Amino acid sequence: MSKILFVLTGADHWTLADGTEHPTGFWAEEAAAPYEAFTAAGHEVVVATPGGVVPTVDRGSLAPEANGGAEGAARVAATLDAFAELRTPLRLEDVDLAEYDAVFYPGGHGPMEDLAVNADSGRLLAGALDSGKPLAVVCHGPAALLAAVREDGGNAFAGYRVAAFTDAEETQAGFADKAKWLLETRLREAGVDVRAGEPWVPNVVVDRNLITGQNPSSSAPLAAEVLKALG
């Protein structure tokens, strides 16, 4: 059995370019599908958030239209209800990477608000990358990669092939013209090699121990790659 650290956003809103706060948090499927896969395989999941706050689920991610219908929405909601670890998160600041066999970051717009500028998270990500342990990040989760800065000022993930929520998807979701910045663009500016697939289609990219997914539908395939890496 392996011990897998889930790092979730502690934010319940995303500040848009005009200063308004868009309610958000983590995206339900991106936490639920990997949790199901990992626990079904017998692995232990531990949750951490900045400050140890109980993470907020983006209400929009619980809607039937976000889950392929009412049946999918009910399944995701039931999984989150059973995901007891969400209600007792560790403080991200206190996490010891040595205690875990893999690290996973789900998305939602929340990481754009807090993890993108969180130095503790950035250090954890760089450490996980250097450790060779499976490091998995999906959708807007790669916003956290922006905080993984080396002592020389360069990004720890520069030159790595990565899948992340694309500018095209943000445009289709209706937020591109409202956001302070766009994830794909900002990652490219940091030297990350973003491999964009078609909008909303599963796209998982594996580069060494880094496993990334583009969008919510990439969550389950990404979890399968993590299980493969754990052996």
Side-chain angles (χ1 to χ4, degrees):
M1 183 182 80
S2 294
K3 196 171 178 181
I4 303 172
L5 178 69
F6 274 46
V7 179
L8 274 73
T9 176
D12 62 5
H13 69 274
W14 176 34
T15 306
L16 302 177
D18 66 359
T20 59
E21 294 184 353
H22 173 70
T24 187
F26 70 88
W27 198 259
E29 181 183 358
E30 295 167 24
Y35 179 79
E36 273 191 316
F38 298 155
T39 55
H43 301 306
E44 178 185 355
V45 168
V46 176
V47 171
T49 63
V53 302
V54 175
T56 299
V57 64
D58 187 312
R59 304 307 299 180
S61 70
L62 297 173
E65 53 269 28
N67 293 285
E71 189 177 321
R75 174 173 174 158
V76 164
T79 299
L80 292 185
D81 284 343
F83 193 163
E85 296 87 349
L86 285 173
R87 296 182 278 283
T88 57
L90 302 177
R91 283 167 36 91
L92 176 60
E93 300 82 351
D94 299 335
V95 164
D96 180 0
L97 178 63
E99 296 179 8
Y100 302 94
D101 302 293
V103 177
F104 169 58
Y105 279 64
H109 278 115
M112 303 273 283
E113 184 75 19
D114 62 352
L115 297 178
V117 293
N118 186 297
D120 293 301
S121 173
R123 281 189 290 273
L124 178 72
L125 283 164
L129 188 69
D130 295 343
S131 74
K133 298 175 181 181
L135 171 59
V137 194
V138 70
C139 200
H140 286 92
L145 307 186
L146 297 170
V149 179
R150 301 287 194 190
E151 287 185 7
D152 64 2
N155 190 280
F157 294 87
Y160 274 78
R161 297 187 304 278
V162 167
F165 200 72
T166 64
D167 293 356
E169 286 167 319
E170 204 70 86
T171 300
Q172 291 177 20
F175 286 108
D177 60 346
K178 301 174 184 175
K180 289 182 179 179
W181 49 272
L182 297 177
L183 179 56
E184 178 187 352
T185 296
R186 186 64 65 86
L187 287 170
R188 291 187 189 280
E189 289 170 354
V192 179
D193 182 6
V194 180
R195 299 297 177 98
E198 290 298 312
W200 314 111
V201 176
N203 176 32
V204 175
V205 173
V206 181
D207 188 349
R208 289 154 279 186
N209 61 315
L210 180 64
I211 305 164
T212 51
Q214 179 172 318
N215 44 38
S217 64
S218 304
S219 302
L222 174 138
E225 288 291 341
V226 174
L227 291 173
K228 195 188 303 181
L230 287 171

